[in-house]
Amino acid sequence: MEELEMLELPNAAFGEAGVAAIIGRKRKISLQSCGTCGSEEAKYRCPRCMKYSCSLSCVKKHKTDLKCTGIRDKAAFVDKTEFNDINLLSDYRFLEDAARSADCAARDICIQRPTTNKFLHFLKKQARKRNIDLHILPIGFRKRKENSTFFHTRQQKFYWSLKLVFPQSHAEYFEKRVPDDQTLHQLLKTYIDPQESDPVIRQRLQVYVRDPSGVAVLMKVEKRKHDSVRYYELDSGKSLLENLKNKTIIEYPTLHVTLKEFKKDFVVLGQETSDSNEQSLPSTVASRSEEEEGEIRDSS
């Protein structure tokens, strides 16, 4: 916790007044009861929502229940009358972090990658060598701005930008720098694995976490007519590269992770039924398809 970390700083860091303020704050915390279990004396306070906790388990539980990140809002407004040495030190650290991030960005060759036609042609050429039909949208499109896919020449592999859509939880997540040799099963572990996934994400995707093996990963077939939308069913046991072979990609892959019992809402290529054309897709899927199909038409 931020308050406890500050207690270890020497007096010279922010003066005796600051030390006295921290000690007084610690005493104030000790007079509070845990906001999660309510039975123990509080030892910690969340920098984000200011909720009191008594133990690590209660800290984790309050993050899950309240969907709290536990990260202090560094840009939160502080009244001038309440501004003290702790706030001054916090602002100083914030400026240091900003300078460090700017310096790292200046050194990162991936962020500073060229966006010229030569670079884009090189990207498409490397994709063709791997039997992937990669299409790049014109400048100004949302997907063009979001895409940070690059090819690592030394390692001879792609690092893809990737969008994951979880329709049964109405959730979307964006991944960057996903290596093409990573399996889809490994990728989904950070989202729906009962043990290894992030607690906040796990809470939102709990319908998937209950049965991680009962999910299907689908990807829309590009360059089809609006009234004949189809999806590929991908193999979660294979790598991203193996799943993308012989497929068309517009900027970056968008994977739809759906429960198998809801797979009937998607018309899977090669598994069409005689009456599939008469069945309409759910409104959320249809609207998303319209948006993406519109982008594809503009790129042609």
Side-chain angles (χ1 to χ4, degrees):
M1 286 300 170
E2 187 173 339
E3 292 80 357
L4 301 182
E5 291 176 358
M6 290 181 178
L7 289 174
E8 299 176 359
L9 296 174
N11 295 357
F14 44 85
E16 295 181 0
V19 175
I22 292 177
I23 294 174
R25 182 170 297 183
K26 184 180 179 183
R27 290 173 179 171
K28 183 178 179 181
I29 291 176
S30 65
L31 296 176
Q32 300 289 335
S33 60
C34 177
T36 302
C37 65
S39 59
E40 298 291 337
E41 186 179 89
K43 296 180 182 178
Y44 314 105
R45 186 171 65 173
C46 177
R48 182 74 179 186
C49 62
M50 298 301 172
K51 188 177 182 65
Y52 294 100
S53 302
C54 66
S55 62
L56 180 60
S57 59
C58 285
V59 170
K60 291 182 177 180
K61 189 174 187 304
H62 109 268
K63 286 183 179 181
T64 302
D65 294 343
L66 302 180
K67 297 181 180 179
C68 176
T69 61
I71 301 174
R72 180 179 59 85
D73 185 4
K74 298 179 181 179
F77 174 77
V78 179
D79 191 85
K80 186 177 180 180
T81 57
E82 299 177 357
F83 195 87
N84 53 33
D85 290 340
I86 295 177
N87 302 120
L88 178 62
L89 181 63
S90 175
D91 289 348
Y92 178 75
R93 286 177 171 174
F94 176 76
L95 294 176
E96 280 189 327
D97 290 341
R100 188 181 302 109
S101 299
D103 181 65
C104 290
R107 297 169 182 267
D108 195 331
I109 60 173
C110 299
I111 296 179
Q112 298 298 326
R113 72 192 191 285
T115 56
T116 60
N117 289 333
K118 183 178 180 180
F119 167 76
L120 297 177
H121 286 313
F122 170 76
L123 208 62
K124 294 167 69 174
K125 180 181 178 181
Q126 293 299 327
R128 280 197 301 270
K129 286 183 178 180
R130 290 154 179 79
N131 297 324
I132 300 174
D133 185 17
L134 177 63
H135 289 252
I136 304 297
L137 294 172
I139 296 175
F141 278 82
R142 173 177 54 82
K143 294 184 74 172
R144 175 89 284 269
K145 294 178 181 178
E146 294 174 342
N147 193 10
S148 59
T149 299
F150 69 95
F151 182 78
H152 199 294
T153 308
R154 183 176 300 176
Q155 298 180 6
Q156 286 294 300
K157 65 181 179 181
F158 273 92
Y159 283 83
W160 290 94
S161 293
L162 198 67
K163 179 181 283 187
L164 295 171
V165 180
F166 296 85
Q168 278 75 58
S169 294
H170 305 287
E172 293 184 0
Y173 297 95
F174 198 83
E175 285 277 350
K176 293 184 178 180
R177 302 184 183 183
V178 179
D180 62 11
D181 57 355
Q182 185 176 15
T183 65
L184 299 184
H185 177 72
Q186 292 173 330
L187 177 65
L188 293 177
K189 264 190 174 183
T190 58
Y191 291 91
I192 61 176
D193 187 90
Q195 303 297 330
E196 300 184 22
S197 60
D198 181 270
V200 177
I201 297 178
R202 186 164 63 237
Q203 175 65 21
R204 187 175 184 184
L205 304 178
Q206 54 185 330
V207 294
Y208 292 89
V209 178
R210 293 169 186 166
D211 185 15
S213 61
V215 299
V217 183
L218 309 174
M219 186 175 75
K220 189 166 78 71
V221 180
E222 305 291 4
K223 291 190 171 183
R224 289 184 66 94
K225 293 182 179 180
H226 175 67
D227 57 351
S228 62
V229 178
R230 297 293 184 271
Y231 291 83
Y232 295 112
E233 183 170 6
L234 307 183
D235 188 342
S236 60
K238 293 183 178 180
S239 67
L240 183 60
L241 176 61
E242 292 176 302
N243 279 295
L244 295 183
K245 282 183 178 180
N246 304 316
K247 296 178 178 63
T248 299
I249 306 297
I250 307 296
E251 288 288 348
Y252 56 79
T254 299
L255 307 184
H256 300 263
V257 185
T258 181
L259 297 175
K260 289 183 178 179
E261 58 186 291
F262 291 95
K263 195 175 71 170
K264 61 181 181 296
D265 295 335
F266 300 83
V267 183
V268 179
L269 191 67
Q271 301 179 14
E272 300 94 333
T273 57
S274 58
D275 59 343
S276 61
N277 292 330
E278 301 176 2
Q279 297 177 353
S280 60
L281 295 176
S283 58
T284 54
V285 177
S287 62
R288 190 179 296 114
S289 301
E290 290 174 4
E291 177 185 357
E292 293 179 0
E293 192 71 26
E295 293 180 355
I296 295 170
R297 287 200 298 270
D298 290 338
S299 66
S300 58

